[in-house]
Amino acid sequence: MNFTPKLPDVGTTIFTVMSALAREHNAINLSQGFPDFACDPLLVELTHQYMQQGYNQYAPMAGLPALRERIAEKCALLYATHLDPDTEITITAGGTQALYTAISAFVHPTDEVIVFEPCYDSYLPAIRANGGIPIPIALQAPDFGIPWDEVRQRLSPRTRMIIINTPHNPSGTILTAKDLQQLDQLTADTDILVLSDEVYEHIIFDGQAHQSVLRYPNLRQRSLAVYSFGKTLHATGWKIGYCIAPPNLTREFRAIHQFLVFSVNTPLQYAIADYLSLPTRYTELPHFFERKRDLFLQLITGSRFTYQQARGSYFQFLDYSAISSMPDTEFARYLTQHIGVAAIPISVFYSQNKPQQSVLRFCFAKQDSTLHQAAECLMSL
Ligand SMILES: Cc1ncc(COP(=O)(O)O)c(C=O)c1O
């Protein structure tokens, strides 16, 4: 049979490969980004209750009104912005579906989309599957900041969208108010959209404030901001999130959304709506994960790994150049097979011009005991 693959270069992702290798070698898995601890039992109880009460049929296409209202309240509190739950918030099947839907709704064949590498692995395939052309720009090590002059040079009449991600996976960096102001200036008086991946909005450390596009009135008008309850509620397997965008963009977003999934898991939406009425459910998160970052780094103090400590997300880059000259994918395999810890090599987060950096990404969203065990292995290097 003849057919042309839409994504000819996509095979099994490194996350699947490393997790399988970790299982095979009984290694501690700090590769994939998910907690190895349970979500709040109250959430499970609430979901169970709603299932038992019969809330098991299709939810409204845009999402449960009560949940959208709680999200609007949360954003008013955090980002001092007024959102209309009816026209500006859509509940999605996780952050990934929101990202894909936003790209699919606005990127036409030959449109250019600026992405900053290293980046989350769904952006480029989503752009390509929709006929768009990714324009990758490398973040500047060691801080992984955005080179704004280069962005200015790479803008063209075909630039349709710029994708940003803060706090950042995989580097653990965050964008500052200055970055957002640069983005605002650069896109002013253009038709460029901003897709802002903010799934780690609550996982930010050292007293920093998350710089959401929602804080910036002009930027907000051209932005689709994406969030994930999987990250916020320690329940990545639930695949539920949302997209916030002004009404004209939300209309187009929903035009695709309704034919991609139509609507999202009903009992979870009821449960999360109840749960969010207690803001402490998410205000504890920065401290919770900052303590885990600090513990992990303290446990490897004295090792030959070097690092800039993560300022957000639940990922920590570690540089192993003082330990080995192996390329990063090889070293990641070695670490899994012989040292007993799985991590992700930095190079897989690049589509081109892969840097010759000796850096691996470790996920510290793990029980303290897991971090202790992993650190003990890493200290043996
Ligand atoms: C930067 C980033 N964006 C989006 C997602 C996807 O979120 P979800 O699991 O809700 O689809 C992830 C998950 O790892 C991520 O790291």
Side-chain angles (χ1 to χ4, degrees), residues 94-96 99 120 165 169 197 199-200 228 231 239:
T96 310
L99 291 164
Y120 179 58
N165 170 215
N169 174 13
D197 181 345
V199 300
Y200 299 104
S228 168
K231 305 295 178 187
K239 295 302 293 187

Side-chain angles (χ1 to χ4, degrees), residues 32-234:
Q32 233 171 336
F34 60 85
D36 69 346
F37 43 85
C39 66
D40 190 336
L42 174 60
L43 260 174
V44 177
E45 207 178 293
L46 286 167
T47 308
H48 187 214
Q49 253 175 43
Y50 279 111
M51 281 182 168
Q52 283 197 317
Q53 287 167 20
Y55 292 89
N56 297 307
Q57 307 308 328
Y58 292 129
M61 187 270 281
L64 195 73
L67 179 56
R68 288 184 278 132
E69 281 159 23
R70 294 298 83 73
I71 292 168
E73 286 162 13
K74 170 163 118 79
C75 292
L77 208 66
L78 292 172
Y79 307 128
T81 187
H82 172 78
L83 294 172
D84 180 341
D86 286 337
T87 59
E88 298 188 290
I89 302 173
T90 310
I91 309 300
T92 61
T96 310
Q97 186 238 310
L99 291 164
Y100 189 91
T101 305
I103 290 167
S104 187
F106 294 101
V107 174
H108 292 260
T110 76
D111 280 352
E112 294 180 354
V113 181
I114 291 182
V115 290
F116 299 104
E117 292 187 334
C119 66
Y120 179 58
D121 64 336
S122 85
Y123 305 158
L124 269 73
I127 296 164
R128 290 194 175 119
N130 286 284
I133 301 170
I135 305 293
I137 295 179
L139 296 172
Q140 304 292 287
D143 290 338
F144 293 91
I146 294 180
W148 288 108
D149 285 342
E150 188 179 346
V151 179
R152 193 168 291 110
Q153 287 161 18
R154 303 287 290 275
L155 292 181
S156 88
R158 297 221 307 266
T159 310
R160 171 77 288 202
M161 182 180 269
I162 299 177
I163 304 181
I164 58 170
N165 170 215
T166 184
H168 186 247
N169 174 13
S171 75
T173 196
I174 56 173
L175 295 182
T176 62
K178 244 188 186 155
D179 288 309
L180 277 277
Q181 283 151 14
Q182 290 263 17
L183 182 62
D184 195 358
Q185 282 166 16
L186 217 65
T187 51
D189 305 320
T190 72
D191 289 326
I192 299 171
L193 298 172
V194 172
L195 178 54
S196 186
D197 181 345
E198 304 185 13
V199 300
Y200 299 104
E201 64 175 330
H202 299 301
I203 309 181
I204 186 158
F205 313 135
D206 309 316
Q208 302 273 346
H210 169 56
Q211 293 301 322
S212 171
V213 286
L214 302 180
R215 290 180 188 273
Y216 297 83
N218 291 334
L219 261 186
R220 176 158 131 52
Q221 291 313 311
R222 62 176 71 254
S223 296
L224 298 111
V226 167
Y227 302 88
S228 168
F229 286 119
K231 305 295 178 187
T232 302
L233 304 178
H234 311 317

